[in-house]
Amino acid sequence: MDENDWKYHGEGNKSLVVSHIQHSRVLRLLKYPSEDAENTHQTTEQAFQHILNIVDYSRNVMKPLLGEKYVHSGEVVKLPLDFVRKLSLKIQQERPELRCDKVMDTFSGCGLCLPNLTHLSPCHFGDRRPPLCVEIKPKCGFLPFSRHVTKECKRKVCRFCMHQHFKLANGKWNRLSRYCPLDLFSGNKQRMYIAIKNLLEEPQNNLKIFKGGELIYSCRDDAKQQPDLNELVQHLWPYFHHSNGHQSSKTVLSEFIQVICSALLSPGDSNRSGEQRKMQLSDSRVHCEASPLHREHLRNGSPGLPKDCVLAKILQAQMMDNLDIEGLYPLYKRVEQHLEEFPNDRNTLQIDGPYDLSFLEKVKTCPEDDGTVEYAVAKVLQYRVAMTAKDCSIMITFAPCGEDEKLQPHLEIQPTKSRFASSVSILDLDPKPYESVPHQYKLDTKIVNYYLKSTITTQ
Ligand code: ATP
Ligand code: ZN
Ligand code: MG
Ligand code: MG
């Protein structure tokens, strides 16, 4: 292993990713808060088990729920410590400042090897233009419908939009995003178009764009500055240029957004039979009052999502949170009480895994509340699966097929479908810890209270 074969690719809150300079592979390494790095670093055995859990959870739990074709679980690898240390030094200066509160794990030598999803796997022939990849972290796409919800505003304004106000107040971001997940998940092309446009204007950590595996568009490290859409258009222009005339920036962006929309709605292989089944939510759940959309876009109602498209799959998993954190928290406390009395049951109840077939069975069953701890555990597990689905990212990778000659100059709207080869995947499917439930409960209260306070004073 030579650190010079790998380069910095990106990072989130939990892990740092490097990509191989030749092969289409990435290594995902865990991160720790820098103040803990010295004293609480895990033993190699613990770290190995932790990463094994991540792979098992992705492979045995999330993949069956989200669909085989979208999920790539990767494999655990043992890396020479010398390699990891050199790599960590090499990439340090490329890391964004806002992520440097954590350090890369250089103690365990364990990592996760995954396909590089910013590349297109079956090579596209006959075109020199590198693939484009759009990464979207969509967040929660529905309004809670649980009878346990106590604050009326949670039924009208989505979590993402409320959270924006809280993040602005805490200095996490400097501007409000106009993106609303309910628009993206609506299945209504106009609403989806506007949602993606809003992501482009204020990407925060919900949108990244790669070209040939290189990050070309994301939020600036210096959060005060907005990323440059004109620069993006320059990158996109060669992909959306037609021989029949000059393309304005607006047309280029608009065609780009349409390609993203089609990929998000693409029903996948399992649905070739023509007639498309839809996933439909009741109308009250699909519109967020904080979304800046005009009423006229909503008048047509919502067409729903094609049943097996990536958005429908993610939304289905998110909706396993059907009690809302307010209804879930008492059940968490029921589990806690039980574990206090019978600490050994932690293993048999599979609180921390193993993430195997029987774990998936527990998640898939919808038991009635019979007052048992088994019911409470099943609901907590479902909630954790939903949290993972609310935090994952979609990767849409596409490249021209090299069939531009076949374009028909007399057609005003070219059939974009046939011009690009594309692939859609879901990444970042880590298990959310059982212990995070109380934190989620407190955070929910804080976000809602802050939203009520801040919107009342501005009205
Ligand atoms: P979060 O803070 O969102 O939970 P995380 O720390 O769990 O993030 P990931 O989202 O898995 O980390 O990875 C960080 C970034 O690395 C991703 O946003 C993506 O841009 C990139 N990345 C991760 N896995 C891959 C992959 N298989 N191929 C290409 N890029 C990847
Ligand atoms: Zn919203
Ligand atoms: Mg992520
Ligand atoms: Mg993550």
Side-chain angles (χ1 to χ4, degrees):
M1 293 292 282
D2 185 343
E3 75 277 7
N4 294 312
D5 290 338
W6 298 86
K7 62 176 192 238
Y8 180 78
H9 179 72
E11 64 190 287
N13 194 31
K14 290 273 153 56
S15 61
L16 189 150
V17 176
V18 293
S19 59
H20 196 273
I21 53 171
Q22 275 166 334
H23 308 301
S24 189
R25 295 255 127 207
V26 302
L27 278 177
R28 187 173 185 247
L29 301 143
L30 295 178
K31 308 197 304 188
Y32 301 104
S34 47
E35 63 273 15
D36 304 352
E38 295 304 318
N39 37 30
T40 65
H41 71 262
Q42 296 168 304
T43 63
T44 305
E45 200 36 58
Q46 282 169 327
F48 191 73
Q49 191 52 52
H50 183 76
I51 299 183
L52 218 52
N53 266 342
I54 290 178
V55 176
D56 284 347
Y57 189 76
S58 167
R59 179 173 297 150
N60 302 329
V61 182
M62 297 312 291
K63 193 167 175 159
L65 294 172
L66 295 173
E68 293 289 320
K69 60 177 180 284
Y70 295 127
V71 181
H72 310 267
S73 307
E75 48 200 318
V76 190
V77 286
K78 286 248 179 175
L79 305 159
L81 284 181
D82 187 47
F83 164 76
V84 184
R85 289 195 195 110
K86 284 182 181 154
L87 187 65
S88 155
L89 287 176
K90 181 186 140 160
I91 55 142
Q92 185 54 37
Q93 81 254 25
E94 293 183 61
R95 300 182 56 202
E97 217 177 285
L98 76 142
R99 294 291 187 186
C100 287
D101 54 327
K102 293 199 177 152
V103 293
M104 189 181 122
D105 164 26
T106 50
F107 299 105
S108 77
C110 298
L112 187 56
C113 185
L114 293 154
N116 188 338
L117 298 170
T118 62
H119 296 163
L120 210 52
S121 50
C123 288
H124 54 286
F125 301 105
D127 198 289
R128 267 173 280 108
R129 286 166 288 183
L132 291 171
C133 169
V134 180
E135 175 178 349
I136 296 176
K137 186 172 175 135
K139 303 301 287 187
C140 182
F142 69 95
L143 290 174
F145 42 88
S146 160
R147 62 187 169 84
H148 301 280
V149 167
T150 56
K151 294 273 176 23
E152 207 43 42
C153 72
K154 279 169 73 175
R155 299 187 190 279
K156 293 181 182 151
V157 179
C158 83
R159 164 63 171 257
F160 180 89
C161 290
M162 279 201 257
H163 206 173
Q164 279 292 309
H165 290 265
F166 190 67
K167 285 179 171 172
L168 197 73
N170 290 301
K172 171 107 200 259
W173 303 112
N174 293 15
R175 286 176 307 272
L176 282 181
S177 163
R178 289 159 64 86
Y179 165 69
C180 172
L182 270 61
D183 293 327
L184 190 74
F185 282 95
S186 68
N188 172 322
K189 290 217 172 104
Q190 275 177 310
R191 287 178 67 188
M192 291 177 71
Y193 184 97
I194 292 169
I196 297 167
K197 197 158 167 287
N198 289 333
L199 282 175
L200 285 166
E201 275 162 15
E202 192 56 63
Q204 294 190 352
N205 65 347
N206 304 99
L207 177 93
K208 289 180 199 167
I209 301 172
F210 300 84
K211 181 172 126 185
E214 303 282 339
L215 184 68
I216 56 162
Y217 193 78
S218 69
C219 74
R220 294 276 172 100
D221 196 13
D222 165 15
K224 288 203 181 63
Q225 232 185 324
Q226 245 159 325
D228 189 348
L229 266 176
N230 289 323
E231 225 172 84
L232 176 66
V233 171
Q234 290 312 309
H235 282 292
L236 298 180
W237 194 78
Y239 295 80
F240 300 95
H241 163 76
H242 305 302
S243 45
N244 58 329
H246 179 72
Q247 297 283 93
S248 69
S249 302
K250 219 179 139 198
T251 336
V252 168
L253 276 180
S254 147
E255 288 196 15
F256 176 60
I257 293 174
Q258 280 170 37
V259 172
I260 301 171
C261 273
S262 319
L264 289 173
L265 293 176
S266 156
D269 323 328
S270 56
N271 216 345
R272 287 228 180 93
S273 54
E275 192 189 318
Q276 274 187 19
R277 284 186 293 164
K278 296 276 176 139
M279 178 183 178
Q280 194 90 44
L281 300 187
S282 77
D283 270 0
S284 60
R285 283 182 210 166
V286 297
H287 177 233
C288 166
E289 285 186 5
S291 164
L293 265 183
H294 295 297
R295 293 254 156 223
E296 65 239 43
H297 290 300
L298 303 165
R299 210 176 293 144
N300 302 338
S302 52
L305 292 165
K307 199 175 153 283
D308 283 322
C309 75
V310 69
L311 289 177
K313 286 300 196 179
I314 292 174
L315 189 58
Q316 250 164 32
Q318 292 182 348
M319 287 173 72
M320 286 198 167
D321 167 16
N322 59 2
L323 298 177
D324 190 73
I325 186 67
E326 294 188 62
L328 195 272
Y329 188 58
L331 296 175
Y332 169 85
K333 287 202 292 201
R334 187 191 294 176
V335 180
E336 279 292 86
Q337 209 170 8
H338 179 89
L339 291 180
E340 234 167 74
E341 241 180 290
F342 309 99
N344 291 336
D345 282 3
R346 199 175 171 106
N347 288 331
T348 47
L349 290 168
Q350 284 187 284
I351 304 283
D352 317 288
Y355 300 122
D356 55 11
L357 207 66
S358 82
F359 186 97
L360 177 65
E361 284 313 311
K362 282 183 191 160
V363 168
K364 275 167 68 177
T365 52
C366 327
E368 290 288 312
D369 190 0
D370 49 5
T372 61
V373 68
E374 282 77 14
Y375 169 78
V377 167
K379 293 315 288 182
V380 173
L381 299 189
Q382 286 179 344
Y383 177 77
R384 289 169 57 201
V385 166
M387 280 217 289
T388 296
K390 291 175 186 184
D391 225 21
C392 68
S393 289
I394 305 170
M395 300 289 261
I396 303 153
T397 310
F398 58 95
C401 306
E403 291 180 2
D404 269 8
E405 310 79 56
K406 287 188 192 153
L407 286 183
Q408 295 163 304
H410 61 276
L411 282 184
E412 214 160 90
I413 299 167
Q414 295 294 339
T416 33
K417 236 189 278 168
S418 62
R419 291 175 47 215
F420 294 102
S422 71
S423 117
V424 180
S425 330
I426 305 173
L427 61 74
D428 198 357
L429 295 170
D430 295 356
K432 300 293 177 183
Y434 165 78
E435 290 77 15
S436 64
V437 172
H439 166 74
Q440 285 298 327
Y441 181 67
K442 283 181 212 133
L443 183 63
D444 183 69
T445 315
K446 272 192 215 162
I447 290 171
V448 173
N449 288 343
Y450 184 80
Y451 182 79
L452 287 172
K453 203 178 86 191
S454 67
T455 50
I456 283 166
T457 48
T458 56
Q459 269 164 17

